[in-house]
């Protein structure tokens, strides 16, 4: 990220649920989760600039499907943090939307978190200012972990965060078939009981060890997502068949899937192969 006068620019990296267990629900109907969340070095790009009034401009390959009105999560982040810290909310936000929408990899939550980080820089707020966390929690379940922006164990409905293992540099390929999935719809389609929490102790697992550990865990939303969008199963099968892919899994509520690879070269070769099927694909590394 950079700060030049009254302008800030930074990235909203893709969020990846390496596993996701639904472990219960609360009396208010929200599901309780257990997940290992990591971030990839590919994402949307946001620019913030002081202006007379808050406004949002959306560009990029996926910009055409993003509403730029008052309810956009990025603008809500501006207004809520401004109110919390007593600052004018005149911030112009430019969102270069490079990640698919409604895709299970952070989306609007990652963008809102990036806005909060940018405003903290522009307004000279400490990174651990509790008002940032309070605003993030009020914006959505995924915003707190996206605000932290590092590998974390996630619990509760997303508000409980603990430092996760060091996975930096591990090659990953993200693939999305171009079918949006609504998170509430996927949760409604889920049936059956609940899974157990499944955290592990290794602080720096090798890629081989990580995949062994993840193989004993899963994504409890994959089956309901595939019932709504069968193409998710096609993506998972295609990923698993790529040379060098150690593990193929869906992230979040879908429809984006990911593969963990032996090498960056193998991930890049798989990117070319799967993009050739008309899917969005991006080889990256975990942050």
């Amino acid at each position: 990220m950079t700060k030049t006068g009254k302008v800030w620019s930074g990235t909203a990296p893709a969020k990846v649920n390496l596993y996701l267990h639904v472990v219960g629900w609360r009396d208010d109907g929200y599901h309780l989760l257990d997940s290992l969340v990591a971030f990839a070095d590919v994402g949307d790009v946001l620019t913030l600039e002081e202006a007379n009034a808050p406004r949002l401009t959306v560009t990029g390959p996926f910009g055409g499907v993003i509403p730029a009105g008052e309810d956009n999560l990025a603008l809500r982040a501006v207004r809520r943090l401004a109110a919390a810290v007593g600052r004018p909310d005149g911030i112009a936000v430019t969102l270069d939307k490079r990640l698919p929408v409604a895709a299970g990899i952070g989306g609007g939550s990652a963008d809102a978190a990036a806005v909060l980080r940018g405003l903290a820089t522009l307004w000279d707020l400490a990174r651990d200012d509790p008002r940032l966390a309070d605003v993030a929690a009020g914006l959505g379940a995924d915003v707190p972990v996206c605000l932290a922006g590092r590998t974390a164990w996630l619990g509760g409905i997303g508000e409980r965060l603990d430092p996760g293992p060091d996975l930096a540099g591990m090659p990953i390929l993200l693939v999305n078939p171009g079918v949006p999935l609504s998170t509430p719809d996927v949760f409604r389609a889920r049936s059956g009981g609940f899974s157990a929490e499944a955290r592990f102790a290794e602080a720096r697992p090798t890629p081989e060890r990580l995949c062994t550990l993840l193989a004993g865990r899963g994504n409890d939303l994959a089956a309901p997502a595939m019932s709504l969008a069968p193409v998710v199963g096609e993506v998972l099968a295609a990923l698993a068949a790529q040379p060098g892919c150690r593990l193929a899994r869906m992230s979040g509520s879908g429809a984006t899937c990911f593969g963990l690879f032996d090498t960056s070269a193998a991930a890049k070769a798989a990117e070319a192969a799967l993009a050739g099927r008309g899917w969005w694909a991006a080889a990256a590394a975990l942050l």
Side-chain angles (χ1 to χ4, degrees):
M1 69 185 72
T2 60
K3 180 184 177 185
T4 306
K6 298 179 180 179
V7 179
W8 175 94
S9 181
T11 301
K15 171 194 69 76
V16 182
N17 295 90
L18 296 176
Y19 79 86
L20 193 160
H21 288 181
V22 181
V23 299
W25 59 37
R26 303 193 313 191
D27 292 340
D28 59 8
Y30 282 96
H31 288 80
L32 299 172
L33 307 176
D34 171 53
S35 184
L36 176 57
V37 177
F39 293 88
D41 61 357
V42 59
D44 298 334
V45 176
L46 291 99
T47 301
L48 311 184
E49 185 174 5
E50 292 191 350
N52 293 327
R55 67 176 185 270
L56 174 65
T57 302
V58 184
T59 63
F62 294 98
V65 293
I66 296 293
E70 299 297 314
D71 287 337
N72 183 278
L73 207 56
L75 284 181
R76 285 161 56 192
V78 170
R79 290 192 171 90
R80 292 193 185 184
L81 187 61
V85 302
R87 298 289 299 245
D89 63 4
I91 296 291
V93 180
T94 300
L95 168 58
D96 182 5
K97 190 66 183 169
R98 303 182 182 185
L99 299 179
V101 178
I105 48 176
S109 296
D111 296 337
V115 167
L116 294 178
R117 289 195 299 272
L119 291 176
T121 301
L122 286 176
W123 294 344
D124 295 320
L125 303 177
R127 186 67 185 270
D128 60 353
D129 189 311
R131 294 171 293 186
L132 290 166
D134 289 344
V135 170
L139 288 170
D142 275 344
V143 182
V145 72
C146 291
L147 178 64
R150 58 183 178 271
T151 305
W153 300 107
L154 180 148
I157 63 169
E159 82 285 3
R160 284 176 32 219
L161 300 176
D162 295 298
D166 179 7
L167 308 179
M170 292 191 182
I172 187 170
L173 174 64
L174 304 176
V175 181
N176 183 280
V179 177
L181 276 174
S182 160
T183 297
D185 288 349
V186 173
F187 272 101
R188 280 192 289 268
R190 196 190 73 87
S191 60
F194 298 109
S195 296
E197 293 188 358
R199 299 186 180 189
F200 53 79
E202 284 85 342
R204 174 62 182 173
T206 64
E208 181 178 10
R209 177 59 178 160
L210 175 66
C211 291
T212 298
L213 290 165
L214 293 177
R217 294 150 175 85
N219 185 336
D220 290 346
L221 299 182
M226 284 187 278
S227 74
L228 298 173
V231 69
V232 171
E234 297 177 29
V235 174
L236 288 171
L239 266 169
Q242 297 303 306
C245 181
R246 288 186 176 270
L247 179 86
R249 182 158 292 163
M250 188 184 82
S251 177
S253 57
T256 302
C257 300
F258 66 90
L260 295 178
F261 281 77
D262 288 326
T263 65
S264 298
K268 198 68 179 175
E271 173 190 336
L274 298 184
R277 300 181 61 155
W279 297 337
W280 175 85
L286 294 182
L287 296 172

mmCIF file of all heavy atoms in Angstrom, residues 67 230 235 239 252 255 263 271:
data_model
loop_
_atom_site.group_PDB
_atom_site.id
_atom_site.type_symbol
_atom_site.label_atom_id
_atom_site.label_comp_id
_atom_site.label_asym_id
_atom_site.label_seq_id
_atom_site.Cartn_x
_atom_site.Cartn_y
_atom_site.Cartn_z
ATOM 1 N N PRO A 67 -22.937 -3.148 -7.624
ATOM 2 C CA PRO A 67 -23.729 -1.942 -7.396
ATOM 3 C C PRO A 67 -22.889 -0.869 -6.718
ATOM 4 O O PRO A 67 -22.148 -1.158 -5.780
ATOM 5 C CB PRO A 67 -24.860 -2.423 -6.477
ATOM 6 C CG PRO A 67 -24.303 -3.622 -5.786
ATOM 7 C CD PRO A 67 -23.366 -4.265 -6.767
ATOM 8 N N PRO A 230 -24.111 -27.464 -9.934
ATOM 9 C CA PRO A 230 -23.343 -28.695 -10.163
ATOM 10 C C PRO A 230 -21.979 -28.473 -10.802
ATOM 11 O O PRO A 230 -21.083 -29.308 -10.657
ATOM 12 C CB PRO A 230 -24.263 -29.506 -11.082
ATOM 13 C CG PRO A 230 -25.645 -29.011 -10.779
ATOM 14 C CD PRO A 230 -25.480 -27.553 -10.489
ATOM 15 N N VAL A 235 -15.492 -28.348 -11.551
ATOM 16 C CA VAL A 235 -14.261 -27.600 -11.283
ATOM 17 C C VAL A 235 -13.355 -28.384 -10.342
ATOM 18 O O VAL A 235 -12.141 -28.493 -10.570
ATOM 19 C CB VAL A 235 -14.584 -26.216 -10.695
ATOM 20 C CG1 VAL A 235 -13.304 -25.490 -10.272
ATOM 21 C CG2 VAL A 235 -15.356 -25.365 -11.695
ATOM 22 N N LEU A 239 -9.634 -29.640 -11.278
ATOM 23 C CA LEU A 239 -8.478 -29.233 -10.476
ATOM 24 C C LEU A 239 -7.698 -30.447 -9.989
ATOM 25 O O LEU A 239 -6.466 -30.508 -10.110
ATOM 26 C CB LEU A 239 -8.944 -28.408 -9.273
ATOM 27 C CG LEU A 239 -8.960 -26.893 -9.392
ATOM 28 C CD1 LEU A 239 -9.698 -26.283 -8.218
ATOM 29 C CD2 LEU A 239 -7.549 -26.330 -9.483
ATOM 30 N N GLY A 252 -15.129 -21.183 1.044
ATOM 31 C CA GLY A 252 -16.312 -20.506 1.550
ATOM 32 C C GLY A 252 -17.598 -21.176 1.101
ATOM 33 O O GLY A 252 -17.729 -22.399 1.134
ATOM 34 N N ALA A 255 -18.730 -20.009 -5.554
ATOM 35 C CA ALA A 255 -18.397 -21.197 -6.307
ATOM 36 C C ALA A 255 -16.895 -21.331 -6.608
ATOM 37 O O ALA A 255 -16.489 -22.249 -7.309
ATOM 38 C CB ALA A 255 -19.141 -21.174 -7.648
ATOM 39 N N THR A 263 4.355 -26.869 -6.962
ATOM 40 C CA THR A 263 5.215 -25.769 -7.387
ATOM 41 C C THR A 263 4.385 -24.671 -8.031
ATOM 42 O O THR A 263 3.267 -24.908 -8.511
ATOM 43 C CB THR A 263 6.261 -26.241 -8.412
ATOM 44 O OG1 THR A 263 5.578 -26.663 -9.614
ATOM 45 C CG2 THR A 263 7.093 -27.392 -7.857
ATOM 46 N N GLU A 271 -3.396 -23.199 -14.462
ATOM 47 C CA GLU A 271 -4.164 -21.982 -14.752
ATOM 48 C C GLU A 271 -4.463 -21.888 -16.240
ATOM 49 O O GLU A 271 -5.609 -21.631 -16.651
ATOM 50 C CB GLU A 271 -3.390 -20.742 -14.293
ATOM 51 C CG GLU A 271 -4.037 -19.424 -14.702
ATOM 52 C CD GLU A 271 -3.134 -18.233 -14.461
ATOM 53 O OE1 GLU A 271 -2.237 -18.305 -13.601
ATOM 54 O OE2 GLU A 271 -3.321 -17.217 -15.151
#
